[in-house]
């Protein structure tokens, strides 16, 4: 008995896409969605949030040198 193909949502338009070799643009449903997503990355519409560095509110613990 063959397993049915995995169905994923296109990251751009949410249309269902079969995850098979026949789906040339997977995980996207089409070349259009693929290039729209690439364009969003190129124009920096997508951004990864930065992690703020420690503000220094905590006092530094002095290092003791007992030589």
């Amino acid at each position: 008995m063959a397993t049915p193909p995995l169905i994923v949502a296109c990251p751009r338009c949410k249309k269902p896409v079969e995850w098979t070799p026949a789906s040339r643009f997977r995980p996207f449903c089409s070349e259009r969605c693929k290039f729209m997503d690439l364009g969003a990355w190129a124009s920096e519409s997508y951004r990864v949030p930065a992690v703020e560095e420690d503000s220094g509110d905590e006092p530094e613990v002095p290092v003791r040198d007992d030589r």
Side-chain angles (χ1 to χ4, degrees), residues 40-50:
W41 280 106
S43 67
E44 297 183 0
S45 295
Y46 297 144
R47 296 192 180 155
V48 177

Side-chain angles (χ1 to χ4, degrees), residues 5-20 22-30 33:
L6 177 65
I7 305 293
V8 298
C10 173
R12 189 78 189 159
C13 70
K14 308 302 182 212
K15 180 180 173 182
V17 179
E18 282 190 6
W19 194 269
T20 64
S23 301
R24 291 182 45 210
F25 305 107
R26 68 178 183 235
F28 302 99
C29 66
S30 65
C33 280

